[in-house]
Amino acid sequence: MSRSTTRAARAGSGRAVRPPFRAASAVAAVTAVVVGLGVAPGGTAFASSAPPAPTPVTRAALDPSLVAGTGATVGFAEQEAEKAVTDGTVIGPGTAAYTLAAEASGRSAVSLKPGQYVEFTLPAAADAINVRYSIPDAPNGGGITAPLDVTVNGKGRGTMTLTSQYAWLYNQYPFSNDPNAGLLHPDWWITECSCVPDQTTPAPVITTPFRPNHFYDEQRLLLGRTYEAGDKVRLAVPAGSDASATVIDLMDSQLVAPPRIDLVAADVLAFGADPTGRRDSADAIDRAIAFAERTHLKVYIPPGTYQVNRHIIVDDVTIEGAGSWYTVIKGHQVTLGSPAPDGSVHTGVGFYGKDASVGGSTNVHLSGFAIEGDVRERIDTDQVNGIGGAMSDSTIDGLYIQHTKVGMWFDGPMSNLRITDNVIVDQIADGINFHTGVTDSVVSDNFVRNTGDDALAMWSEKGEDANDTFDHNTVQTPVLANGIAVYGGTDNTVSDNLIADPIREGSGIQVGSRFGSQAFTGHLWITGNTTVRAGTYELNWNIGLGAIWFYALERNISADIEVTGDNFLDNTYDAIMLVTDFPVKDQYSITNVHFKDIKVDGTGTDVVSARTAGSATFQNVVARNVGAVGVNNCGSFHFTAAGSEFSLTDLGGNTGGGTTGPWLAPWELPNTITCDDRPAVVAPPAPSPW
């Protein structure tokens, strides 16, 4: 199937969904310091004689030592604005969806009025920065632009032109760009009124804008020269800015490698490509590809910005750029005269393998360039992804993908694809999705931030994904859904990934029988991953989720699932959840799940929440700073005299707990009913070394 996303059945998106079943994250309050003046969270000033401290380098807004060994190896240093020098106002921390704080890395950021600044101290030599920011939408949608001045050590002023044209979505799935629009689906249950609006008398008043989200965007800037560690990069909002507030979330800094030059290649300039971006270069790139195929050469795209407004079809070809900071393939979204056979009503920039129905593509190798799209709305039938189609025996390495619908979406069957060292940001939907029959493929060392759906997904919708691996990737702030999701399949692995700050209708890691996926068979290994500030609040169900959650909606989950060596840090609600949707709670169960060598540092509520029939084993699961009873066991809500329908097996070594004592107490085993539908939340302290 060639459509991109067909997941209208996402939690809370069905008709008249009844809930089957609020609190702050435990992000430590951060004090921003300016010369001679401190600014506390919320912006209250106080006297201070201490000099400003250097801006710390973080990963997932934590000390890097707390997440060592997980996530992608990246070439940049991340620094949080709320830990920098500023005369602005720190917002957050907060986890409530539809707020700027919740969508910020670390759940906190700095808001600047015109005339205010935030200043970062470079931790290492750098000649480039990337700024994650938010500015307001236009009153009727569509975005605005606003300036941001950049100086280093008070000199070399440059101006970034920020935009909110790719941010600010509203309303119910699949969302609207209109802040004044009424409900897209008045026949759906919404928590705001605990009702189905068009079936309620009197009709509820729904305020607009309804559920604003997807606030942030980011922008890269080459500084023109190399600056040294200790130099001060100041981001300042000039007086007269059209943005009433400019929110700075973080700054990444790096030393960019020199541009790569390939003299023995089919250079697209020789075939008429325009590096200024004024003329469309798609046909010229096609000619270079055709020549390279005849002569067995690579295609080389030198530094420049190349306008491409359609798909470039690739098969048995290598395409290299000079580096993602230098070679930019940038396109407009184009409205088609009539819908394409796959249902698309738009096209746009993208590199696509042939469709699997005609055999797909093989031996495709893409590296060293950026793809910048122009997607501002979510239309699930549109093929406006950065990379698409089917590509077997292929590699994708060192790309930067921004403002497409999905960074990379693959429709199998296909096999042996290697995706490494890419940066994917600011997507309307997923980051990378293996959809239908993708096998023996690897996604490794990629950095994914600010997706509008699952950041990384294996979706076995019509054919199972098998023997695939998601390894050592970093995922930050998926606005909707999960950091990593596995929907069916066999013998797949999710290992050593770092996942931080999921927002809503999902959490850190999901194992789900949903969206028409094939059954889980064989094994699923979830090993060595770290989640940070996951375990989110599920608005549609009005309960908290687990940082890792298993969801049986359409089938039993009964394959051998091994969750080993994972760390769940600063969980807003639960660390682990196993749940079956209430209408099918007597049809499906979750069994054969095994947790071993797990560390849980902080839960707002429980370590384990069971809202299903089934069973799981636990061995060497160590927990601390647990906010509620260790096991919240509701089973399938029949509350029988024989106990819960969900059983826990203690294999030893399960220690620690919190305010209520040991998290896995003997009296809870194997299936004591300890059901508290919505336990009170106790925000845990910030994570610390074990």
Side-chain angles (χ1 to χ4, degrees):
M1 165 168 119
S2 60
R3 291 181 299 162
S4 288
T5 311
T6 56
R7 285 180 274 176
R10 182 166 301 289
S13 299
R15 296 175 60 87
V17 176
R18 301 296 302 182
F21 316 63
R22 187 161 166 180
S25 171
V27 181
V30 178
T31 300
V33 183
V34 298
V35 177
L37 184 70
V39 181
T44 304
F46 60 91
S48 174
S49 59
T55 318
V57 173
T58 59
R59 294 184 64 219
L62 290 179
D63 185 315
S65 66
L66 295 175
V67 295
T70 62
T73 299
V74 296
F76 56 82
E78 169 194 277
Q79 294 173 293
E80 295 285 334
E82 67 271 18
K83 297 181 180 179
V85 174
T86 185
D87 62 353
T89 300
V90 173
I91 62 171
T95 59
Y98 316 117
T99 64
L100 282 158
E103 289 193 19
S105 172
R107 312 292 195 191
S108 192
V110 170
S111 180
L112 305 176
K113 296 177 180 178
Q116 294 183 320
Y117 71 90
V118 60
E119 184 174 271
F120 300 85
T121 302
L122 290 177
D127 61 1
I129 61 171
N130 176 68
V131 178
R132 186 169 193 253
Y133 66 89
S134 177
I135 59 174
D137 197 3
N140 295 313
I144 64 171
T145 60
L148 182 70
D149 289 342
V150 181
T151 57
V152 185
N153 301 329
K155 302 176 182 178
R157 183 183 302 274
T159 300
M160 303 173 75
T161 300
L162 308 183
T163 180
S164 54
Q165 294 169 332
Y166 299 99
W168 292 92
L169 299 177
Y170 306 91
N171 224 296
Q172 298 157 294
Y173 178 93
F175 315 116
S176 168
N177 297 106
D178 181 1
N180 305 308
L183 292 176
L184 295 180
H185 306 288
D187 57 339
W188 288 1
W189 169 278
I190 60 172
T191 305
E192 285 82 355
C193 67
S194 296
C195 72
V196 178
D198 71 356
Q199 298 174 22
T200 302
T201 303
V205 176
I206 305 301
T207 58
T208 59
F210 184 64
R211 296 185 181 178
N213 70 95
H214 211 270
F215 304 116
Y216 288 88
D217 203 20
E218 49 192 75
Q219 192 172 133
R220 304 188 298 173
L221 177 68
L222 287 167
L223 297 174
R225 53 157 288 191
T226 299
Y227 293 92
E228 302 303 320
D231 287 341
K232 311 291 186 183
V233 178
R234 176 172 291 198
L235 309 177
V237 180
S241 171
D242 288 337
S244 57
T246 298
V247 176
I248 305 297
D249 181 23
L250 55 80
M251 185 185 79
D252 302 322
S253 60
Q254 71 181 97
L255 190 61
V256 178
R260 181 171 58 197
I261 298 172
D262 195 340
L263 300 177
V264 184
D267 189 319
V268 298
L269 298 182
F271 298 87
D274 177 12
T276 70
R278 289 191 290 268
R279 291 184 290 106
D280 192 299
S281 293
D283 291 348
I285 294 174
D286 282 347
R287 290 191 291 269
I289 290 172
F291 179 81
E293 289 173 341
R294 292 194 303 270
T295 57
H296 306 291
L297 291 172
K298 299 176 182 177
V299 173
Y300 175 62
I301 309 178
T305 297
Y306 300 84
Q307 182 187 153
V308 172
N309 303 312
R310 60 170 173 82
H311 300 168
I312 301 293
I313 305 301
V314 290
D315 184 23
D316 192 22
V317 66
T318 297
I319 302 176
E320 294 181 348
S324 68
W325 283 82
Y326 305 110
T327 299
V328 179
I329 316 299
K330 187 176 180 69
H332 304 293
Q333 182 168 283
V334 177
T335 302
L336 300 174
S338 59
D342 62 16
S344 295
V345 295
H346 299 95
T347 189
V349 60
F351 288 76
Y352 275 64
K354 295 177 181 178
D355 195 89
S357 65
V358 295
S361 293
T362 60
N363 195 34
V364 175
H365 305 283
L366 307 175
S367 66
F369 55 89
I371 301 172
E372 296 184 5
D374 189 31
V375 178
R376 309 180 191 196
E377 59 183 334
R378 179 162 179 165
I379 300 175
D380 281 343
T381 54
D382 271 356
Q383 283 283 359
V384 285
N385 307 317
I387 306 289
M391 297 181 189
S392 294
D393 302 319
S394 298
T395 61
I396 301 171
D397 179 78
L399 303 189
Y400 176 88
I401 304 178
Q402 184 183 35
H403 297 154
T404 58
K405 187 179 77 174
V406 176
M408 303 184 193
W409 182 284
F410 300 97
D411 291 300
M414 53 175 277
S415 65
N416 192 27
L417 175 65
R418 298 291 183 270
I419 301 172
T420 56
D421 299 309
N422 303 283
V423 174
I424 300 173
V425 297
D426 302 331
Q427 300 297 303
I428 288 290
D430 304 49
I432 299 173
N433 194 309
F434 282 177
H435 177 230
T436 301
V438 179
T439 61
D440 300 299
S441 296
V442 175
V443 175
S444 179
D445 256 322
N446 301 281
F447 183 88
V448 184
R449 183 160 59 202
N450 196 38
T451 57
D453 213 305
D454 296 323
L456 302 176
M458 302 181 195
W459 183 15
S460 300
E461 186 184 24
K462 294 184 177 180
E464 65 178 14
D465 294 335
N467 301 308
D468 296 324
T469 299
F470 289 171
D471 177 72
H472 278 95
N473 303 285
T474 295
V475 170
Q476 289 184 322
T477 61
V479 175
L480 175 72
N482 305 282
I484 296 179
V486 183
Y487 305 121
T490 186
D491 293 341
N492 295 308
T493 300
V494 176
S495 56
D496 296 304
N497 301 283
L498 173 60
I499 304 149
D501 298 315
I503 314 300
R504 62 190 179 91
E505 294 176 48
S507 194
I509 300 172
Q510 183 182 29
V511 177
S513 172
R514 58 193 307 201
F515 307 129
S517 63
Q518 300 296 302
F520 286 96
T521 58
H523 303 271
L524 174 61
W525 294 276
I526 300 174
T527 64
N529 304 282
T530 296
T531 69
V532 182
R533 294 176 300 273
T536 56
Y537 166 63
E538 217 304 319
L539 174 77
N540 300 287
W541 287 347
N542 194 23
I543 63 170
L545 299 179
I548 183 170
W549 64 301
F550 299 76
Y551 184 29
L553 176 63
E554 297 168 352
R555 299 174 183 263
N556 292 326
I557 296 177
S558 58
D560 178 32
I561 301 177
E562 306 286 340
V563 183
T564 305
D566 300 275
N567 298 324
F568 304 120
L569 310 180
D570 197 357
N571 305 282
T572 306
Y573 285 85
D574 306 312
I576 298 164
M577 171 179 268
L578 306 102
V579 58
T580 300
D581 201 19
F582 201 78
V584 295
K585 64 185 177 63
D586 298 323
Q587 298 178 45
Y588 304 123
S589 63
I590 300 172
T591 58
N592 208 17
V593 184
H594 309 285
F595 298 91
K596 182 178 179 181
D597 300 332
I598 306 296
K599 291 181 178 177
V600 175
D601 190 358
T603 68
T605 52
D606 314 289
V607 176
V608 177
S609 176
R611 308 175 78 90
T612 181
S615 61
T617 68
F618 299 85
Q619 183 176 9
N620 297 330
V621 177
V622 180
R624 64 187 184 190
N625 302 315
V626 178
V629 65
V631 178
N632 189 355
N633 194 343
C634 297
S636 54
F637 289 86
H638 290 294
F639 307 119
T640 70
S644 167
E645 298 85 359
F646 189 87
S647 297
L648 298 87
T649 300
D650 182 354
L651 297 181
N654 300 298
T655 62
T659 57
T660 61
W663 82 265
L664 189 59
W667 61 267
E668 294 173 320
L669 301 170
N671 63 333
T672 303
I673 296 171
T674 57
C675 187
D676 185 347
D677 200 36
R678 293 176 179 85
V681 176
V682 179
S688 60
W690 285 87

